[in-house]
Amino acid sequence: MGGAVQERVLSVLLLEPGRVVPMPRLVEAAWGDDPPATASHQVRKAVSDLRRRIPGDGVISTEGSGYRITVTAAQLDLLEFNDRIRAAEQALREDRRPEAAAELEAALALWHGAVLSGQGGSVIESAATALEERRLVATEELFDLRLGLGLSSELVADLRTVVSAHPLRETFHGQLMLALYRTGRKAEALNEYARIREFLADQLGVDPGPPLTRLYEDILRDEPGLVLPQPPTAAVQESPPAPPARICTLPQPLTDFTGRTKEVAELLRCVDAADGSDARSARVVAVDGMGGSGKTSLAVWAAHQLADRFPDGQLYVDLRGFTPGEQPPVSPGTALDHLLRSFGVSDERIPSDTEARANLWRATVAGRRLLLLLDNAAHAEQVTPLLTASPGCLVLITSRSRLLDLDGVSWVSVGLMTPQDSAALVAATLGADRVEAEPESAAELAELCGHLPLALRIATARLRNRSSWTLRYLAERLRDETRRLDELRSPQRSVAATLHLSYMALDVRQRAAFRTFGLHPSTGIDVHSAAALLGTDVHDAESTLEFLLDMRLVQQPGVGIYTLHDLVRTFARSLCGPATAEQDASAVERLLGYYLTATDVACQILFPGREQRGTGIPAHEGSLPPCPDAEAARAWFDREHGGLLAAVSLAELHGLPRHTVCLTRNLSFHLNARGQFDDLWNVCRTALAAVRGLDDPQLLCVTLANVGVACWKVGRFESGLEAAQEARDVAVALGDRHIQAHSESTIGLLTSMLGRYEEALTLLSEAVARSAKLGAGRAEAEGLSTLSTLYEKWGRYAEAAETARRSLEISRSIGYHANLIMSLTDLAFAQVGLGELEEADENLAQARRLSELRTAPGDVGLVLALSARVAHARGRTTEAEGFAVRALELARTGATPVRLAEVENLIGHLRCALGDHQSAVVLHRHARQAAVEMGFRSEEASALAGLAQALEALGDTETADGYRAEAARLYAFMGVRSPRTVYA
């Protein structure tokens, strides 16, 4: 869950589902009577973290100053426990005692140990104690009901256990005494009373209570009321009818079958729905799923659960649609012969042709209640003759592919196991002790097995047979993708062999397509990239993907998106080799060409003013995803984000440096706008290594320029300066004035970050002038924004404001959204320096509105941090605190090191102004550490000044003076005569 605070906050919310839990109660739950000064902030952070970890929208909602969690009884055992207790109480009111007992049993079965064990804290311990009391009361009521229903000897062992665990609860002692007496063990019952009386006297100095004493006296007197009246004996029939013959050929269910609760429930619902309808023929329920997903185990388990509903028999037939050993599928005629013989039909009565056998089969089972499990079906033609028209029958079918030609069938699809079910399966097959000893390795093992039941069973079987192996050791072996399928095999079973059966059911063209899809770098394949990979049009590509979906070799998480399971992808890639190398290389090059063209189109829409440059790579001529507007282009980029990053690596792996470099250039715009700066840094480094192997100074120049920007974003100022200077030198040699201006602007930016303001001013002014002369509006706007920031940090607020207004005007004219926000923020910073707080407030409000439309988290954090400063200065303290909390959340979850340092310093100064000096010290220290690592002089100085101010207020004058002197030296180095006033 992320830590103790998150666990305790979640625990308290779950203890009061559907109710608003106020902040003070959450703080008390997390820290008791001694919370830190930042407790409320940490609770908000914990809730934010929980929202990211818990799937689903709106599970935890903010309600005023508190939070509410919304869950259903199916999600929370506490709610299910309460529901069953209420159902038991209702059943008792209606004198339905067996139903009440069943509800209590189900309620108590939800408990697997102490509630919230190890959570700590008085709030949670108090709640856990109350819940334990409710459990004990329910247990007492259940034993009362069982005793009232005539059970006695069956309860003695359970009652002795509960008496031992709770020796002070006299009710349990009384129930044990009564159970012993009713089973003819009067002496033991009296001895039990003697034991509890002695125990109470020794421990508490008291005697047993009146109810237990009266029971003891009644047992001594053999009170008739202690024995339940016997029900009247039914009249004995002189010649009881012989029970009907019952046939069962079902395989034994797995003793360690676990998980699949949702699928089992869905299958049983399908049966119940059909059972309740006006059925005129047998109910048919089919289970489909990929090889190894556990379809047969699920169907066999369900069949045994349903067996009592079908007293005339339960029959099983393996149709061998996908069976190792090259065995042909069972023909319908052979299957009918087997079924008829199971019902005792003699050889001479079984016809030779299939249609006649089918007619005889339907006549034989007419009027019977029969369950038929047809396992491993290959196609509908194999199944149809075996279906019966008798409405009392149920037919269960399992198949890898959905048999679309079967009508009137209820389908249950079996996918991968959930992580929770996988963990339960590993524990059930391997033993809970080994899993508890290595929980992280057990989770990794399940992940590496792709949550596929067959793979998990093979892996755990290997561990059972190798006692010296640890879970970690096997996980390490499975990490090597090239060996993973070899590891997941045993003498009788193999994941690869299971997948091979599905592969062999394809024709030659489909096999080639399946193998080629294994080359796709993304976890999500759409029809356009699939068409490029296969070299077909989108309609053929979609048809192929849909067929593979029917065969359960691909999955479909969303409309139009297809995925390969990890082990299926590994199997597909294992089919590639020297014989397919040429075709595979062509497929990869087509796919990369598609991605390059598609990203070009999306960038033209999203980033107006971007300079168009040739790539030397032919444009993709096939179909592209529709991008009519910026929203569609942005959605495509988001959906393909992971695939595009993987495509850069794929290009590098296949020795296609030009594709690597050009694709990185397009992707850089998207990553920068999205605030994915670590990814930006990584792909730019990959592109730089690739471009140095090309004799193309133009591409080298572009790549170096992008590396310089990426270095700035991740706080590597010196490395960025080297790259930008090299880019400028190459651009000058080429006569490329655009890259020269861009590089000089980057050099000026990084130089200003390093505190060399005079040098930065010259570089930035020249870069802005050069961009203006070239008509490069985007570059000019960026340069002016950087120049405004420099002026503001230098304390030259009037110049900063003027420059920001020029940047703002250009950004508006070309629709440069991201720079529009930063220009407004730059202008607000300058206006704060000039004392124009009302104007700054208006510009920040506009920046916040624009930030709602896809802005990097760090930039939004900076806007909010400055908004907090201005709101406080204008007397809106509550609003300022809200801005500050949100700013820190954004900065800490998705900001660059540069933005994080800026935001922490701004909020640190605010905390100091509010009198929260300890919090200010924490923020400034963290900001200073980051600034020192980057060489970010202005924020290092700001952090030092803030530390001096906060520590002085805390009484540490000596340390404060030291920090103040360090700050003064840095300001002198930068040429800042009088540091900007933070707060009056």
Side-chain angles (χ1 to χ4, degrees):
M1 285 289 98
V5 175
Q6 286 90 328
E7 290 178 2
R8 292 174 182 177
V9 168
L10 180 60
S11 297
V12 174
L13 291 173
L14 290 173
L15 284 167
E16 299 186 42
R19 298 177 183 173
V20 177
V21 182
M23 179 64 73
R25 182 168 174 79
L26 294 172
V27 169
E28 184 184 2
W31 290 281
D33 296 328
D34 189 24
T38 59
S40 296
H41 169 65
Q42 291 191 48
V43 168
R44 294 188 190 97
K45 184 180 178 183
V47 170
S48 177
D49 190 32
L50 288 169
R51 283 169 172 161
R52 288 195 301 275
R53 293 173 183 272
I54 298 174
D57 295 328
V59 177
I60 301 178
S61 59
T62 304
E63 303 282 346
S65 61
Y67 297 93
R68 182 204 308 270
I69 193 164
T70 304
V71 288
T72 64
Q75 294 173 293
L76 182 61
D77 46 13
L78 175 59
L79 287 176
E80 185 177 352
F81 177 81
N82 293 338
D83 288 349
R84 290 191 178 278
I85 293 297
R86 283 192 290 270
E89 292 169 349
Q90 180 65 27
L92 278 176
R93 285 193 291 271
E94 297 171 1
D95 200 30
R96 294 183 287 110
R97 302 175 72 81
E99 290 87 343
E103 288 293 346
L104 286 171
E105 286 176 3
L108 292 168
L110 297 169
W111 293 70
H112 300 288
V115 173
L116 301 172
S117 177
Q119 291 295 297
S122 60
V123 172
I124 293 176
E125 287 177 1
S126 175
T129 301
L131 286 174
E132 176 65 7
E133 178 62 24
R134 291 176 61 192
R135 182 183 75 86
L136 293 174
V137 170
T139 305
E140 291 172 348
E141 291 175 354
L142 177 59
F143 279 123
D144 271 339
L145 281 171
R146 286 172 169 173
L147 287 166
L149 291 170
L151 300 177
S152 297
S153 59
E154 303 93 330
L155 304 181
V156 170
D158 290 340
L159 280 166
R160 287 199 186 280
T161 300
V162 77
V163 161
S164 177
H166 304 281
L168 294 177
R169 294 188 78 93
E170 294 184 26
T171 302
F172 289 141
H173 289 279
Q175 292 168 333
L176 175 58
M177 291 167 61
L178 186 58
L180 288 169
Y181 179 78
R182 287 180 178 175
T183 54
R185 299 155 72 178
K186 177 179 179 180
E188 289 183 56
L190 296 173
N191 186 55
E192 183 62 26
Y193 179 80
R195 289 176 62 242
I196 181 59
R197 183 173 60 185
E198 180 179 355
F199 178 84
L200 292 174
D202 289 343
Q203 297 294 318
L204 303 175
V206 298
D207 289 325
L212 198 62
T213 302
R214 281 196 298 271
L215 177 62
Y216 167 72
E217 293 169 352
D218 288 345
I219 291 173
L220 278 175
R221 296 192 301 267
D222 290 315
E223 184 68 28
L226 295 177
V227 180
L228 288 175
Q230 297 296 317
T233 305
V236 179
Q237 297 182 5
E238 294 182 4
S239 54
R246 181 165 178 155
I247 309 165
C248 181
T249 62
L250 293 174
Q252 282 295 111
L254 291 172
T255 56
D256 55 7
F257 180 84
T258 187
R260 297 300 190 193
T261 305
K262 176 183 176 183
E263 290 84 352
V264 170
E266 185 178 355
L267 192 154
L268 296 179
R269 276 198 303 272
C270 290
V271 173
D272 291 339
D275 208 11
S277 63
D278 185 16
R280 290 178 251 178
S281 63
R283 290 151 283 166
V284 183
V285 179
V287 180
D288 68 293
M290 68 179 288
S293 60
K295 301 179 296 297
T296 298
S297 299
L298 170 65
V300 170
W301 178 268
H304 280 280
Q305 304 302 304
L306 295 164
D308 290 343
R309 301 194 197 180
F310 303 94
D312 293 327
Q314 305 90 41
L315 300 181
Y316 172 84
V317 181
D318 183 0
L319 296 176
R320 294 205 306 260
F322 299 87
T323 304
E326 308 253 337
Q327 298 183 65
V330 172
S331 67
T334 302
L336 286 165
D337 179 79
H338 169 78
L339 290 170
L340 290 167
R341 289 175 187 277
S342 297
F343 265 83
V345 179
S346 60
D347 290 351
E348 59 271 15
R349 289 190 57 210
I350 298 177
S352 57
D353 71 281
T354 299
E355 186 176 352
R357 287 181 179 182
N359 291 332
L360 179 58
W361 165 244
R362 287 190 282 271
T364 301
V365 300
R368 294 179 182 264
R369 296 186 60 81
L370 178 73
L371 187 153
L372 175 60
L373 174 51
L374 303 176
D375 188 28
N376 203 3
H379 44 73
E381 292 81 0
Q382 191 185 22
V383 171
T384 303
L386 313 181
L387 301 181
T388 170
S390 179
C393 294
L394 169 66
V395 182
L396 297 178
I397 304 170
T398 73
S399 177
R400 292 195 182 187
S401 58
R402 181 162 286 194
L403 310 181
L404 299 177
D405 291 330
L406 285 180
D407 296 325
V409 177
S410 299
W411 286 97
V412 177
S413 291
V414 177
L416 304 178
M417 298 188 86
T418 64
Q420 294 78 11
D421 282 354
S422 293
L425 178 58
V426 172
T429 54
L430 196 57
D433 292 344
R434 290 185 75 177
V435 173
E436 289 172 3
E438 299 182 84
E440 293 181 359
S441 295
E444 183 183 9
L445 181 68
E447 190 69 29
L448 290 168
C449 288
H451 302 288
L452 189 69
L454 174 62
L456 285 166
R457 288 189 175 277
I458 293 173
T460 52
R462 295 190 72 190
L463 284 167
R464 284 200 307 272
N465 293 331
R466 291 165 174 79
S467 58
S468 62
W469 281 22
T470 62
L471 277 80
R472 179 180 178 182
Y473 176 70
L474 180 55
E476 288 173 349
R477 293 173 69 101
L478 290 173
R479 285 177 199 149
D480 184 351
E481 187 178 351
T482 61
R483 292 179 50 193
R484 193 172 301 163
L485 290 177
D486 292 331
E487 295 288 343
L488 295 175
R489 69 170 69 245
S490 66
Q492 300 298 323
R493 297 180 295 183
S494 164
V495 173
T498 298
L499 296 174
H500 185 72
L501 292 170
S502 296
Y503 174 71
M504 293 305 295
L506 309 176
D507 61 29
V508 174
R509 179 173 169 274
Q510 291 160 349
R511 290 179 192 174
F514 171 70
R515 185 198 74 242
T516 305
F517 285 138
L519 300 171
H520 202 292
S522 177
T523 55
I525 307 173
D526 71 346
V527 293
H528 296 92
S529 62
L533 197 60
L534 298 179
T536 64
D537 62 37
V538 291
H539 300 294
D540 285 344
E542 185 176 29
S543 296
T544 301
L545 284 166
E546 285 292 322
F547 182 82
L548 294 176
L549 178 64
D550 290 338
M551 295 298 294
R552 293 299 180 262
L553 283 170
V554 301
Q555 299 163 321
Q556 191 174 50
V559 177
I561 302 296
Y562 304 82
T563 64
L564 274 70
H565 182 273
D566 288 347
L567 295 177
V568 175
R569 177 181 283 102
T570 300
F571 173 72
R573 289 175 178 172
S574 73
L575 302 171
C576 300
T580 65
E582 186 175 345
Q583 299 97 306
D584 295 344
S586 297
V588 167
E589 193 163 351
R590 285 194 303 269
L591 179 65
L592 293 173
Y594 157 77
Y595 273 135
L596 185 57
T597 302
T599 52
D600 259 333
V601 171
C603 283
Q604 288 171 22
I605 297 171
L606 290 173
F607 310 108
R610 187 184 81 133
E611 185 186 358
Q612 299 301 307
R613 290 182 175 270
T615 63
I617 299 171
H620 176 69
E621 296 181 355
S623 177
L624 294 173
C627 284
D629 52 33
E631 183 178 353
R634 197 175 291 116
W636 179 83
F637 253 132
D638 283 347
R639 190 181 71 240
E640 293 287 346
H641 176 80
L644 290 169
L645 291 172
V648 172
S649 299
L650 184 67
E652 180 190 27
L653 178 67
H654 280 261
L656 297 169
R658 189 170 293 276
H659 288 78
T660 304
V661 174
C662 296
L663 187 56
T664 294
R665 178 180 182 249
N666 289 351
L667 185 54
S668 296
F669 284 88
H670 161 68
L671 294 174
N672 187 48
R674 198 179 187 206
Q676 301 284 338
F677 301 118
D678 286 334
D679 288 339
L680 175 63
W681 162 244
N682 287 326
V683 295
C684 283
R685 283 194 302 168
T686 300
L688 183 58
V691 77
R692 292 200 185 278
L694 291 171
D695 184 17
D696 192 330
Q698 188 69 55
L699 274 184
L700 173 62
C701 184
V702 172
T703 305
L704 284 166
N706 287 336
V707 169
V709 174
C711 287
W712 164 52
K713 294 293 187 180
V714 296
R716 298 172 179 267
F717 298 159
E718 295 289 355
S719 298
L721 202 53
E722 291 177 11
Q725 287 168 342
E726 185 181 356
R728 178 192 59 189
D729 295 343
V730 176
V732 169
L734 289 172
D736 189 328
R737 292 176 294 169
H738 287 274
I739 296 294
Q740 180 183 349
H742 181 281
S743 301
E744 287 175 347
S745 182
T746 303
I747 295 168
L749 166 65
L750 294 169
T751 304
S752 71
M753 301 299 238
L754 294 167
R756 289 144 49 184
Y757 286 176
E758 291 285 359
E759 182 182 351
L761 178 60
T762 302
L763 288 161
L764 288 169
S765 298
E766 291 176 354
V768 168
R770 197 182 304 277
S771 296
K773 187 175 181 180
L774 292 170
R778 184 184 181 88
E780 184 183 2
E782 290 174 347
L784 286 166
S785 184
T786 304
L787 189 55
S788 176
T789 301
L790 171 61
Y791 280 134
E792 188 271 333
K793 290 183 182 294
W794 213 340
R796 296 163 64 170
Y797 302 121
E799 292 163 288
E802 177 58 31
T803 309
R805 288 190 181 95
R806 288 167 57 198
S807 177
L808 187 60
E809 182 181 351
I810 296 170
S811 298
R812 279 180 175 148
S813 67
I814 64 173
Y816 191 179
H817 175 79
N819 204 69
L820 186 60
I821 294 170
M822 294 319 300
S823 299
L824 285 165
T825 309
D826 292 332
L827 180 55
F829 266 114
Q831 288 167 334
V832 169
L834 293 168
E836 299 171 355
L837 294 180
E838 184 177 354
E839 293 82 351
D841 211 359
E842 292 174 358
N843 285 320
L844 287 169
Q846 186 178 351
R848 290 195 301 273
R849 288 193 296 273
L850 291 171
S851 295
E852 296 174 1
L853 303 172
R854 297 295 304 246
T855 305
D859 291 347
V860 182
L862 185 63
V863 172
L864 291 171
L866 184 57
S867 297
R869 173 178 175 176
V870 172
H872 174 261
R874 303 195 73 195
R876 305 196 305 270
T877 305
T878 303
E879 185 181 19
E881 176 62 17
F883 285 146
V885 170
R886 182 63 178 144
L888 285 172
E889 286 180 354
L890 286 169
R892 287 169 176 169
T893 55
T896 64
V898 171
R899 288 287 185 256
L900 178 57
E902 292 174 328
V903 169
E904 286 187 323
N905 272 332
L906 280 167
I907 304 305
H909 294 308
L910 174 62
R911 293 276 187 261
C912 197
L914 292 170
D916 188 357
H917 302 109
Q918 196 60 56
S919 177
V921 168
V922 172
L923 289 165
H924 286 311
R925 278 182 176 158
H926 190 269
R928 181 197 179 196
Q929 181 182 354
V932 169
E933 290 173 358
M934 293 183 284
F936 195 177
R937 299 286 188 269
S938 63
E939 291 308 316
E940 183 185 353
S942 178
L944 288 166
L947 282 168
Q949 187 177 5
L951 289 171
E952 186 172 45
L954 290 169
D956 190 353
T957 306
E958 183 178 352
T959 306
D961 288 343
Y963 284 145
R964 191 174 288 110
E966 285 186 60
R969 283 194 293 272
L970 280 172
Y971 282 124
F973 170 79
M974 292 181 288
V976 179
R977 294 180 181 177
S978 55
R980 51 182 167 165
T981 301
V982 179
Y983 282 101

